Amino acid sequence: MQSLFQRIAATSAATPFGVIVVQAIVWVGMSAIWIPWALDGGDVIRIVLAVISPLLALYWVVALVFGIRRRRLARESRDD
């Protein structure tokens, strides 16, 4: 699992921090919408969206955590 998180961090390093923040917010919000929506009526599209959206939310939240760490380290090295 740690190697997965490291790969996410490496691939998101080139992504602007603002994009990471927006994507994390969007996919967490979409997960909150699509999961209950899929539980109400279980057609195929709703179930697929309910499965994919938390995976994308996890990806972008991990990228956000690593982006925050990267910004903090850059700020600390700049202040030294």
Side-chain angles (χ1 to χ4, degrees):
M1 190 64 104
Q2 184 69 19
S3 66
L4 174 66
F5 291 158
Q6 292 299 328
R7 278 190 264 153
I8 292 172
T11 57
S12 67
T15 307
F17 185 72
V19 172
I20 294 173
V21 171
V22 169
Q23 288 291 336
I25 292 169
V26 165
W27 285 108
V28 168
M30 296 311 282
S31 295
I33 293 169
W34 284 334
I35 291 172
W37 187 49
L39 294 176
D40 286 340
D43 64 13
V44 175
I45 292 173
R46 291 180 184 189
I47 293 171
V48 168
L49 291 174
V51 169
I52 290 174
S53 62
L55 296 174
L56 288 169
L58 175 67
Y59 174 87
W60 286 107
V61 168
V62 168
L64 178 63
V65 169
F66 279 101
I68 290 170
R69 281 187 191 169
R70 194 176 320 111
R71 286 174 57 101
R72 186 176 297 142
L73 289 173
R75 186 175 300 132
E76 288 174 0
S77 67
R78 185 180 63 223
D79 291 340
D80 290 340

